[in-house]
Structures are given as structure tokens and as C-alpha cells.
Amino acid sequence: MKLKINLFQERNTPTSVLLIYTGGTIGMKADPADGTLKPFDFSGILEEVPELRKFAMKIDAYTFNPLIDSSDVEPSLWQALARLIQERYDAYDGFVILHGTDTMAYSASALSFMLENLGKPVIFTGSQLPIGEPRTDGKENLISAVEIATAKDSDGHPMVPEVCICFNSQLLRGNRSVKVNATGFDAFKSPNYPLLATAGISINYNNSFIHYGYDRRKGLTIHTDLDTRVSVLKLHPGITEQAVRDILLGDGSRAVILETYGSGNAPCRPWFLALVRDAVTRGKILLNVTQCQSGDVDMDLYATGRTLKDAGVICGHDITTESALGKLFYLMGEYADNGQVKVLLEKNLKGEISK
Ligand code: ASP
């Protein structure tokens, strides 16, 4: 992927942020020629958001080329983002990633696992309306994201050294976020974890829920080896044996995320359980994630869940599918041994599960 950098504002202040523009609605503008939305030249961001000039800080921008609708996001983008953040880590107080909303929760989740010992804010944001539109939510989202990415406590330490999503005046932990609204400004929710901050007249940080566990003596390490051999099987009434067989036993996957009902329940029909057992016996990693938006998997609650546990299915607790995908890509990229991956799936690595 070809990249270019545009430096568009610099002042002699100690605070600095890098805006990384990957694409999405936020950076679009209606082309007067035909009315269609096209990416605008990001070096002109100050004309679109003159409020940014009011910040006494250095703001640089880094533009991906080509810019993409986030429906086209692939793990190669996450690898490029991780490398870019590592390269520029010492030069900036924080990073703001402008990204389409459609897959933002996947990207933020994956980055949370790929960036180890992160001691600076990495804030994803975007918008539902292009930044050039009169009622855009993009300005507000961008301004809040920049403020949060550079916010420090009284000792000069970052307020939120985490990968987050900043949207609609709310700051959410990245690997807890899901896109819940296709058209409204309240596009994201963190159903199983409190907000990390809310932006009102001032920005109120929910300090007791922010993770500050990084080691200041050590730098950032990145993990870019991702194993993407994961399939998702969403259960539904009427699902056929053939469909389940194709996904559970297909050659292409090393792991399958089972999107189950309620607190982790699945059909107890013999053919279904036989296929689950067969997949586990063949060495596949099966992770139980609930289809419900909130609450968690408890495989001891109902006999149907217990049967999955006895068959060797791993409990996903209250992880989102987006986060489960990123966690599996990362763990499978790191460990060739599925036993090790299974042990770590049950552990809370980056605040992605309440355990
Ligand atoms: N399709 C767009 C994207 O995700 C939507 C958005 O940016 O909100 O890139």
C-alpha cells in the first residue's frame, strides 16, 4: 500500500498528534460536478475544520493511498497502521485514526491486540455525514478525538493510553465496541463495558475503567503476524446440517466463532453435537460467543451450553464477535499450538472480556 504524508499545521508547542486518514464518510465531500461523494484532499482539513487551529498543538496528517470505504478493510490495513504507529510512536502524544464506521469496531478491536504495552491514546473516529455537510457529525467527532488523544493528567501522563472509538460525544474501549446504528449519529455502543469518557461542556474521564497498566520503562511492541483462518457460524432456527458441516469442518478454518443463543446455548440435536465434537477432535478451535448484544456466555447454566463445554468448545464470556475475530487472528498468528491459543482465549488480555 502506498502512503504519503501531509504536514499541515505546526506550532512551537510540546503537544502533538498524528491524524491518520484511511477513508470513510468523514473525509468525503460532494463533487459539485455530479453530486457523488468523493474523498477530499486531506491537506485541506483546516478549511473544513478551522476549529482545529484553536488547539495549541502540532497536528500532522498521514493519508493512506488509496483511501478506502471501510467495507474494504483487510488485515493488511491493520498491519500498516500498527507499523505506522510504531514508527511515529516517539514523535506524537497520541494518534487519531479516521476510518469508515462500517468496520471500525473490527479495526479498533484488532489493533488493541496488535499494540502491546501501548502507553499513548490511539483514537478511532469517523462520521455518519461527510465533513463538508452542514449538519455533519464529523467535526465534533474529530475535535473530541484530537482533544482526547492529547489529554494528559497533572503528572503529564496520557489520560487514555488505550485503543478507543470516539463517536457522538462518547469514548468507548475499542475492543468492546459494536456498530449498532446504520444511520443515526449514535452509531456505536459498548454493551458490556462502561464508557471511558463522555464529552459535554468538558470531557469527563471515567478513570476507574481506563486501563493504565503499561510499563513506562518499556516501549511499544507490535504484533503483525495474523492468522486469519477463522470462520463465523451464526446459529439460527432451521440451520441445515450441511451448512454447519461446511463451516465447522471446512478445510479453510483453524478456528470457528460459534454465535450461539442467549447465554451460550445451541441446539442439542444429535447431528449438531456430533459435528461439534468432530470439529474439536480434528483440532479446530471453537469459541462460543453470544448473539445477544449484552450479557455473557455461561456454559454451565443450561444443559445445551454444558454439552458444548463438554465437547471442548471454549467460552467467549462477554466478548463481541468483532473482538473475538481480532483476538483469534492475533493469538493464532503468535502461537502455532492450538492448546496455547485456547488457554489465552479464556484470559482477559486487553480488557476485552469481563473476567
Ligand atoms: N461505508 C462507509 C465506511 O464504512 C460508511 C462510513 O464511513 O460511515 O467506510
Side-chain angles (χ1 to χ4, degrees):
M1 194 178 291
K2 258 174 108 190
L3 307 165
K4 70 174 185 191
I5 189 159
N6 297 316
L7 180 70
F8 62 81
Q9 184 185 6
E10 193 164 12
R11 291 189 196 164
N12 235 359
T13 64
T15 308
S16 59
V17 64
L18 182 63
L19 303 185
I20 303 168
Y21 177 37
T22 67
T25 299
I26 192 165
M28 306 265 176
K29 225 179 152 178
D31 183 339
D34 59 7
T36 59
L37 290 177
K38 300 209 171 110
F40 71 86
D41 178 0
F42 209 67
S43 58
I45 185 72
L46 285 185
E47 277 125 64
E48 300 299 332
V49 195
E51 294 87 346
L52 285 173
R53 288 185 204 276
K54 295 191 180 154
F55 287 120
M57 65 177 73
K58 176 181 153 192
I59 305 179
D60 289 343
Y62 196 105
T63 308
F64 273 70
N65 182 14
L67 295 165
I68 52 167
D69 184 294
S70 78
S71 313
D72 269 324
V73 161
E74 284 294 323
S76 56
L77 177 83
W78 305 337
Q79 290 160 332
L81 284 170
R83 288 191 193 107
L84 177 62
I85 290 168
Q86 186 183 47
E87 256 170 55
R88 312 286 157 118
Y89 193 68
D90 294 333
Y92 296 95
D93 295 291
F95 301 85
V96 171
I97 301 175
L98 299 166
H99 190 291
T101 57
D102 288 346
T103 59
M104 192 186 292
Y106 289 91
S107 296
S109 295
L111 260 289
S112 77
F113 297 107
M114 295 167 73
L115 303 178
E116 191 186 319
N117 199 42
L118 180 67
K120 296 186 178 185
V122 173
I123 313 293
F124 279 80
T125 196
S127 68
Q128 294 284 55
L129 275 178
I131 216 152
E133 294 286 318
R135 289 175 50 254
T136 184
D137 52 332
K139 280 188 183 191
E140 159 73 35
N141 289 346
L142 175 57
I143 290 165
S144 298
V146 166
E147 204 168 331
I148 290 167
T150 51
K152 303 254 176 78
D153 65 16
S154 51
D155 295 325
H157 299 132
M159 292 298 290
V160 194
E162 290 205 32
V163 178
C164 302
I165 289 182
C166 178
F167 217 91
N168 197 35
S169 305
Q170 298 185 326
L171 188 71
L172 304 84
R173 174 169 290 161
N175 60 30
R176 292 290 196 151
S177 309
V178 279
K179 184 172 179 183
V180 293
N181 195 331
T183 48
F185 289 148
D186 53 343
F188 291 93
K189 264 211 172 98
S190 168
N192 283 323
Y193 198 74
L195 296 175
L196 301 186
T198 44
I201 289 174
S202 53
I203 296 180
N204 292 316
Y205 293 90
N206 212 349
N207 298 68
S208 50
F209 292 101
I210 297 172
H211 183 65
Y212 294 103
Y214 65 100
D215 184 340
R216 291 200 181 101
R217 293 159 306 175
K218 292 190 193 154
L220 174 78
T221 305
I222 62 167
H223 300 277
T224 51
D225 287 335
L226 302 174
D227 183 345
T228 60
R229 290 175 296 159
V230 180
S231 298
V232 180
L233 175 59
K234 180 169 183 160
L235 299 181
H236 59 84
I239 196 163
T240 63
E241 182 172 351
Q242 190 58 48
V244 174
R245 179 186 303 281
D246 288 348
I247 298 181
L248 285 187
L249 304 185
D251 286 339
S253 64
R254 185 174 157 197
V256 179
I257 298 171
L258 267 181
E259 278 199 3
T260 56
Y261 305 124
S263 48
N265 304 312
C268 51
R269 286 188 279 287
W271 64 260
F272 180 82
L273 294 172
L275 286 172
V276 167
R277 289 194 191 100
D278 195 1
V280 174
T281 309
R282 292 182 193 204
K284 299 240 183 187
I285 302 162
L286 266 50
L287 181 64
N288 189 346
V289 174
T290 177
Q291 293 178 14
C292 293
Q293 208 183 67
S294 43
D296 61 351
V297 168
D298 179 353
M299 292 203 284
D300 288 318
L301 203 56
Y302 292 93
T304 49
R306 188 56 181 261
T307 318
L308 292 181
K309 183 177 173 183
D310 292 342
V313 174
I314 305 298
C315 181
H317 302 279
D318 58 353
I319 200 165
T320 62
T321 297
E322 291 85 336
S323 196
L325 202 76
K327 189 171 183 179
L328 276 163
F329 285 4
Y330 153 70
L331 286 175
M332 297 195 324
E334 286 291 300
Y335 303 98
D337 172 24
N338 283 1
Q340 182 75 2
V341 173
K342 287 182 187 178
V343 168
L344 292 169
L345 276 174
E346 285 264 24
K347 296 209 161 33
N348 177 12
L349 303 182
K350 293 297 176 81
E352 73 283 4
I353 53 176
S354 309
K355 206 187 160 221

